[in-house]
């Protein structure tokens, strides 16, 4: 069971994420978009969207710091466990709640604004459920363990396990002892990763950072493939009119 | 000197009757789809009026175009790169649907399904966004021909710059129509605003396009374009814009708006320009200088040095030849009667306009004066400050001098040709009064009044050097393109997903033959044709069937 949950399942989810992204990029570049609903409604979005997105970016940075950077590194530069913990809980809670509030505003807007709701697909609804579950579960686990409880140092258990996935020597044993709250959050998160390429969330992978270094005006030559048709090999001779088969 | 070619357009506003044929054919060709119901790549605005979307010219509010920084550099008025990225989650300057209009349809089915009753059933308007009942309160040309009067026209951002006293006088004075498409600017601020780099200017012909596969729907281009000619498709989540009908242009045919223009007021041709000078010209300090600055980047295609540089830049000879015949060059540079729309946005627009003289003539005629007498016209152009100021607000960043000069030339042409028309001797002094010769006035008159299809549209075809692909025979399966199953339908992520079908280029050559043939209304075999409307179904009139061939089955 441990191996299934903490080895097979994460690898499967990540494979689906990577494979799904490649497939979607090849097959559906045209559908790769934010599908913004700002045209329908602006005043609520103006508050909800930045709150959610900046919050979630902070959450992302927090997760990178907590999961990918080994504890020994931060201690080597002189950050004590207590200092790190205080900082993480403080910033993390702010980020988590602004994400949650932002998302609540956005979901309420999506349901209550007629045109926005009309433009919401089933795929969107399913995505919102998974996304909201991951965020709520993560926040709940953190708050329960650190704010209400006596504190839990996931950098001793979850982080080494997560990194071990990338070393290709996964260590499921350490996950067995992790509090159930964190376990469910992690399982939900990998479900979200697997679902990611098939939702509008793909727009996160096209964050336009290249804009900062690009010249303002882009020039491009005319498409070298007029008509988008494949080139005819020369040995097929001159083009022929189609011949109709008579019965 | 880096020579580039630009496909450009000039519209003669004197001839626009506001029939909206260009808008309708454009819509049928390009935006007759869900998600772009509210979109008009080509629209015709009544002036004075608020325009479409409402008050788009008020850049204090919409922040379109470029602004000149204190150091003399240009940056998008809505903010530079960093500010754009920080406001990407909710663009603060995006026009809402209400600024365009809420698209609607009518519940026609009710007309058929309503139970019999005393009242005639009514097809109610239904919103195309929500599917619910709606009230139609605005559209792309709600204030057509000054409908709504002062109440709506007073919202015109150009009028707002003219004082109240003249405003009243002006609204009594005149109305004209302003057809607008994308300006295909030399310095496009929409492309500069696109975080994904999906909007590009084509190196060959300068047409500005959105790569639908690279657009990610960040919406910054809508803000960036001061003319608000980039639209957000709310179904596919992608930006769309006027394409200058590039599939037609590539095979040497005019845009659909030009092709179908009833007044034949549009001209299309090439302009050669020096791409190295664009940035500097767009950044001149004084806004009044922008008109002259833009003219200074155009290169004379008859200059041997320019031709050599153009060849060196890889511009084919037939394109250089087309640039030499370009009606755009004549109207902008030789006769100096075309003006850019809102040069103060610093985007270097490439759809120019010949300002209308006819409102001035109308006033003269209505007040009992001779509207074709040169002295009367010159006097009126000088005396009617308000129309001139208004036109200057549109075309020269508020500088009345170039507008006056253009109107005087148009007036001189009118007076000069009137004498010829009445069988009098041509009067060279009329031409001299506006710094032209009689021959030049006559040439300008021919271009403006009686130019044929081939003279109005000088469009060299694209150089694909792959004739098979441009020929219009269906010698390959039209669904047979790279990576495409091509069987239509929709992908798994909604109707917008999946690879797009390639643009189906129709048989344009037939159309061209019809347009350029002088005998289109009288085909050669007319005598043998049968009008089926007059046929009562009996007998077999001659010409009903094609003549029998030997061994044919008839």
């Amino acid at each position: 069971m441990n191996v299934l949950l903490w080895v097979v399942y994460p690898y499967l989810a990540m494979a689906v994420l990577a494979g799904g992204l490649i497939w979607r990029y090849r097959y559906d570049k045209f559908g790769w978009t934010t599908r913004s609903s700002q045209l329908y409604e602006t005043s609520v979005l103006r508050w909800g969207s930045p709150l959610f997105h900046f919050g979630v970016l902070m959450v992302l940075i927090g997760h990178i710091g907590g999961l990918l950077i080994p504890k020994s590194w931060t201690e080597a530069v002189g950050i004590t466990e207590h200092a790190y913990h205080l900082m993480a809980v403080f910033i993390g809670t702010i980020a988590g709640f602004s994400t949650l509030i932002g998302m609540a505003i956005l979901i309420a807007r999506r349901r209550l604004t007629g045109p926005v709701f009309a433009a919401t697909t089933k795929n969107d609804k399913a995505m919102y459920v998974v996304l909201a579950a991951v965020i709520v579960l993560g926040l709940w686990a953190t708050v329960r363990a650190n704010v209400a409880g006596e504190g839990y140092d996931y950098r001793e258990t979850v982080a080494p396990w997560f990194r071990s996935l990338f070393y290709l020597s996964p260590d499921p044993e350490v996950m067995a002892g992790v509090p159930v709250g964190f376990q469910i959050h992690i399982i939900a998160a990998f479900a979200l990763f697997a679902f990611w390429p098939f939702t509008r969330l793909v727009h996160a992978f096209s964050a336009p950072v290249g804009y900062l270094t690009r010249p303002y005006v882009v020039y491009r030559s005319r498409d070298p493939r007029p008509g988008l048709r494949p080139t005819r090999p020369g040995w097929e001779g001159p083009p022929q009119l189609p011949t109709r088969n008579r019965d | 000197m880096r020579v580039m070619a630009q496909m450009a357009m000039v519209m003669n506003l004197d001839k626009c009757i506001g029939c909206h044929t260009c808008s309708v054919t454009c819509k049928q060709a390009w935006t007759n789809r869900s998600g772009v119901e509210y979109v008009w790549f080509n629209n015709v605005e009544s002036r004075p009026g608020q325009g479409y979307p409402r008050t788009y010219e008020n850049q204090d509010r919409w922040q379109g175009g470029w602004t000149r920084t204190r150091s003399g550099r240009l940056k998008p008025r809505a903010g530079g790169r960093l500010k754009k990225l920080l406001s990407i989650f909710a663009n603060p300057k995006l026009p809402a649907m209400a600024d365009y209009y809420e698209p609607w349809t009518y519940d026609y089915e009710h007309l058929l399904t309503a139970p019999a009753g005393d009242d005639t059933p009514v097809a109610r308007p239904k919103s195309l966004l929500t599917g619910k009942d709606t009230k139609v309160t605005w559209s792309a040309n709600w204030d057509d021909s000054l409908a709504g009067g002062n109440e709506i026209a007073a919202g015109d951002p150009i009028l707002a710059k003219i004082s109240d006293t003249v405003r009243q006088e002006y609204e009594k004075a005149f109305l004209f129509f302003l057809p607008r498409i994308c300006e295909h600017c030399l310095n496009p601020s929409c492309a500069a605003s696109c975080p994904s780099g999906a909007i590009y200017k084509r190196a060959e012909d300068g047409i500005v396009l959105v790569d639908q596969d690279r657009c990610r729907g960040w919406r910054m281009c809508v803000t960036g374009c001061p003319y608000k000619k980039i639209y957000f498709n709310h179904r596919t989540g992608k930006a769309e814009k006027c394409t200058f009908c590039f599939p037609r242009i590539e095979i040497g045919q005019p845009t659909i708006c030009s092709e179908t223009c009833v007044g034949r007021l549009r001209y299309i041709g090439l302009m050669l320009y020096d791409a190295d000078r664009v940035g500097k010209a767009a950044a001149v300090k004084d806004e009044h200088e922008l008109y002259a600055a833009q003219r200074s980047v155009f290169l004379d295609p008859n200059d041997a040095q320019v031709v050599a540089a153009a060849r060196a830049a890889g511009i084919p000879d037939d394109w250089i030849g087309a640039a030499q015949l370009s009606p755009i060059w004549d109207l902008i540079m030789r006769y100096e009667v075309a003006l850019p729309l809102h040069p103060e946005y610093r985007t270097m627009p490439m759809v120019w306009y010949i300002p209308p003289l006819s409102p001035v003539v109308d006033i003269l005629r209505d007040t009992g004066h001779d509207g074709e007498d040169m002295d009367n016209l010159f006097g009126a152009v000088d005396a009617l400050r308000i129309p001139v100021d208004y036109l200057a607000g549109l075309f020269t960043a508020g500088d009345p001098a170039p507008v006056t000069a253009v109107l005087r030339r148009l007036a001189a042409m009118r007076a000069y040709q009137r004498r010829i028309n009445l069988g009098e001797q041509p009067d060279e002094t009329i031409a001299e009064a506006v710094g032209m010769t009689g021959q030049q006035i006559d040439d300008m008159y021919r271009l403006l009044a009686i130019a044929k299809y081939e003279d109005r549209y000088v469009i060299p075809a694209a150089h694909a050097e792959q004739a098979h692909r441009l020929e219009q025979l269906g010698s390959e399966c039209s669904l047979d393109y790279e990576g495409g199953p091509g069987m239509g339908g929709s992908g798994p992520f909604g109707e917008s997903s999946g690879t797009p079908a390639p643009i189906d280029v129709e048989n344009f050559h037939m159309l061209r033959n019809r347009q350029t043939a002088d005998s289109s209304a009288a085909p050669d075999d007319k005598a043998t044709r049968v009008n089926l409307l007059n046929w009562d179904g009996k007998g077999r009139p001659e010409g009903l069937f094609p003549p029998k061939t030997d061994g044919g089955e008839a």
Side-chain angles (χ1 to χ4, degrees):
Chain A
M1 185 63 186
N2 263 346
V3 173
L4 193 70
L5 271 185
W6 309 118
V7 179
V8 178
Y9 172 66
Y11 276 130
L12 213 60
M14 285 193 289
V16 173
L17 172 67
L21 282 175
I22 294 167
W23 171 79
R24 179 100 189 251
Y25 188 76
R26 288 183 60 117
Y27 171 74
D28 187 31
K29 264 185 220 155
F30 183 59
W32 194 297
T33 155
T34 58
R35 263 206 7 262
S36 165
S37 58
Q38 193 182 349
L39 205 61
Y40 300 133
E41 198 283 335
T42 300
S43 49
V44 179
L45 183 94
R46 258 187 98 173
W47 291 101
S49 180
L51 206 57
F52 170 77
H53 282 96
F54 284 118
V56 92
L57 282 179
M58 265 160 53
V59 168
L60 176 72
I61 293 169
H63 277 72
I64 289 173
L67 293 177
L68 293 184
I69 298 173
K71 196 175 179 181
S72 53
W73 292 18
T74 52
E75 277 170 357
V77 293
I79 303 171
T80 63
E81 163 61 20
H82 185 68
Y84 183 91
H85 186 76
L86 267 185
M87 192 178 68
V89 169
F90 182 66
I91 298 177
T93 310
I94 293 175
F97 274 103
S98 65
T99 308
L100 191 69
I101 293 166
M103 192 175 62
I105 293 174
L106 290 179
I107 291 179
R109 164 184 181 272
R110 198 155 267 283
R111 181 63 193 85
L112 299 177
T113 315
V116 185
F117 187 57
T120 307
T121 63
K122 280 182 188 146
N123 185 304
D124 292 341
K125 289 173 192 165
M127 182 274 290
Y128 273 111
V129 170
V130 181
L131 183 66
V134 173
I135 291 168
V136 170
L137 287 168
L139 203 55
W140 178 65
T142 308
V143 170
R144 202 176 67 139
N146 296 316
V147 182
E150 72 276 22
Y152 176 73
D153 188 6
Y154 65 89
R155 294 206 295 163
E156 300 277 10
T157 53
V158 181
W161 164 78
F162 186 71
R163 287 195 298 272
S164 73
L165 287 176
F166 295 94
Y167 303 149
L168 299 180
S169 57
D171 182 8
E173 297 310 315
V174 292
M175 284 305 293
V178 171
V180 182
F182 284 96
Q183 286 189 343
I184 302 176
H185 170 62
I186 292 164
I187 290 169
F190 276 100
L192 179 66
F193 293 156
F195 193 30
W196 199 288
F198 313 102
T199 64
R200 63 198 298 175
L201 294 181
V202 285
H203 73 264
F205 283 94
S206 51
V209 281
Y211 184 50
L212 290 173
T213 53
R214 184 197 94 196
Y216 269 131
V217 178
V218 179
Y219 289 89
R220 255 167 75 179
S221 269
R222 206 161 62 83
D223 200 323
R225 306 170 292 140
L228 295 168
R229 286 174 184 166
T231 317
R232 289 168 53 86
W235 60 81
E236 282 185 6
Q240 310 253 312
L241 284 171
T243 49
R244 200 182 303 166
N245 293 326
R246 294 204 176 219
D247 294 335
Chain B
M1 182 157 61
R2 187 159 56 100
V3 185
M4 292 187 88
Q6 168 77 38
M7 201 57 81
M9 187 185 285
V10 168
M11 300 191 212
N12 184 358
L13 296 184
D14 253 339
K15 290 180 163 188
C16 185
I17 58 171
C19 68
H20 298 272
T21 307
C22 47
S23 304
V24 171
T25 51
C26 172
K27 187 144 188 65
Q28 290 291 349
W30 289 106
T31 57
N32 191 9
R33 294 167 283 134
S34 73
V36 283
E37 308 92 345
Y38 76 103
V39 170
W40 298 81
F41 289 166
N42 182 108
N43 74 300
V44 182
E45 295 166 5
S46 300
R47 289 307 174 131
Q50 300 195 354
Y52 157 81
R54 266 181 270 195
T55 68
Y56 70 94
E57 283 155 313
N58 181 357
Q59 302 309 339
D60 292 335
R61 180 172 175 209
W62 298 117
Q63 307 273 304
W66 300 88
T67 185
R68 189 177 184 273
T69 61
R70 232 172 296 158
S71 60
R73 300 231 311 248
L74 287 186
K75 86 173 200 196
R77 190 187 285 262
R81 297 180 173 92
L82 200 60
K83 191 178 169 197
K84 284 252 161 58
L85 288 193
L86 287 177
S87 58
I88 204 164
F89 301 129
N91 180 352
K93 295 290 176 192
L94 187 77
M97 202 54 121
D99 293 306
Y100 299 92
Y101 63 96
E102 188 173 351
W104 76 91
T105 183
Y106 292 96
D107 182 14
Y108 296 110
E109 202 188 346
H110 180 67
L111 299 180
L112 301 174
T113 58
D118 293 338
D119 301 319
T120 313
V122 173
R124 301 183 113 172
K126 297 271 182 191
S127 165
L128 280 171
L129 299 183
T130 59
K132 303 216 169 72
D133 279 346
T134 187
K135 257 177 99 174
V136 180
T137 55
W138 195 261
S139 81
N141 57 333
W142 198 251
D143 53 351
D144 197 279
S145 307
L146 298 185
N150 285 354
E151 243 175 83
I152 289 175
D156 182 338
I158 308 295
L159 259 196
K161 291 179 184 165
I162 306 177
S163 70
D164 278 64
T165 45
V166 296
R167 194 183 288 171
Q168 287 305 320
E169 194 187 336
Y170 171 60
E171 276 150 17
K172 273 181 273 168
F174 77 79
L175 150 78
F176 66 95
F177 296 99
L178 182 73
R180 292 200 306 127
I181 64 170
C182 165
E183 295 283 342
H184 297 277
C185 305
L186 299 184
N187 187 30
S189 56
C190 58
S193 308
C194 175
S196 311
I199 303 182
Y200 62 97
K201 193 164 177 63
R202 278 213 307 202
E204 288 86 355
D205 50 18
I207 295 177
V208 178
L209 294 171
V210 183
D211 184 339
Q212 293 286 305
D213 276 350
R214 291 184 68 175
C215 172
R216 300 284 174 256
W218 302 121
R219 322 175 289 294
M220 291 299 166
C221 51
V222 181
T223 306
C225 176
Y227 304 95
K228 292 292 169 280
K229 276 293 171 190
I230 297 222
Y231 302 90
F232 189 72
N233 181 325
H234 60 88
R235 294 295 283 271
T236 64
K238 304 256 169 172
E240 295 191 16
K241 67 180 289 299
C242 158
T243 63
F244 215 83
C245 288
F246 70 87
R248 292 175 58 94
I249 292 288
E250 282 175 9
I251 58 170
Q253 297 192 336
T255 64
I256 202 76
C257 52
S258 311
E259 175 84 49
T260 57
C261 177
V262 174
R264 302 184 174 185
L265 59 92
R266 298 187 187 222
Y267 299 80
I268 297 177
L270 278 182
M271 285 299 266
L272 300 182
Y273 69 100
D274 186 354
D276 287 337
R277 292 216 297 260
V278 168
K280 212 170 163 199
V284 293
K285 194 170 179 197
D286 183 5
E287 285 187 347
H288 289 181
E289 293 294 313
L290 281 162
Y291 163 57
Q294 185 166 0
R295 287 189 51 194
S296 76
V297 307
F298 297 141
L299 298 170
D300 184 351
N302 293 305
D303 182 334
Q305 265 186 319
V306 171
V307 170
R311 284 209 183 107
I315 296 177
D317 276 0
D318 61 332
W319 278 55
I320 298 172
Q324 288 164 348
L325 294 173
S326 169
I328 311 299
W329 171 267
D330 289 347
L331 293 171
I332 292 178
M333 301 300 287
R334 182 168 298 155
Y335 307 132
E336 300 178 30
V337 289
L339 301 170
L341 181 64
H342 290 302
E344 71 271 24
Y345 299 159
R346 298 179 183 275
T347 60
M348 303 251 131
M350 284 309 289
V351 173
W352 288 38
Y353 293 88
I354 300 172
L357 178 72
S358 33
V360 178
V361 179
D362 289 347
I363 294 171
L364 281 177
R365 201 189 46 218
D366 293 349
T367 50
H369 293 86
D370 180 357
E372 284 172 345
D373 179 78
M374 187 182 71
D375 291 332
N376 280 351
L377 278 169
F378 278 16
V381 167
D382 290 337
L384 293 171
R385 296 304 322 159
I386 306 105
V388 171
D389 281 349
Y390 188 88
L391 292 172
L394 280 180
F395 299 121
T396 54
D399 181 9
V403 174
T404 310
V406 171
L407 293 183
R408 285 170 70 98
R409 285 203 158 177
L410 295 177
M413 182 182 78
R414 216 180 165 87
Y416 185 86
Q417 290 300 329
R418 203 253 306 248
R419 287 183 65 87
I420 295 176
N421 207 20
L422 295 179
E424 296 169 22
Q425 278 298 311
D427 185 357
E428 279 293 320
T429 57
I430 295 179
E432 282 162 19
V434 290
M436 296 172 87
T437 64
Q439 184 60 45
Q440 276 180 319
I441 287 222
D442 204 52
D443 290 345
M444 179 165 87
Y445 159 73
R446 287 184 177 281
L447 184 58
L448 290 182
I450 50 181
K452 291 279 205 181
Y453 192 82
E454 298 92 334
D455 305 321
R456 281 179 283 133
Y457 309 127
V458 182
I459 305 165
H463 275 257
E465 322 296 16
Q466 282 164 313
H468 172 61
R469 288 175 175 168
L470 289 174
E471 78 193 8
Q472 300 300 305
L473 296 171
S475 54
E476 283 175 78
C477 175
S478 62
L479 304 173
D480 178 21
Y481 53 91
E482 194 194 350
M487 296 311 287
S490 59
F493 310 113
E495 65 181 289
S496 65
S497 66
T499 46
I503 293 158
D504 183 22
V505 182
E506 296 161 51
N507 191 339
F508 284 125
H509 293 305
M510 189 180 71
L511 200 68
R512 162 180 263 187
N513 292 341
R514 199 179 72 199
Q515 283 289 352
T516 50
D518 282 331
S519 61
S520 61
D524 294 338
D525 56 346
K526 194 178 175 188
T528 62
R529 289 193 181 186
V530 173
N531 185 350
L532 286 175
L533 292 175
N534 298 334
W535 184 47
D536 63 359
K538 295 183 182 119
R540 193 191 254 198
E542 194 187 344
L544 184 63
F545 296 108
K548 278 186 184 177
T549 50
D550 286 349
E553 293 165 33

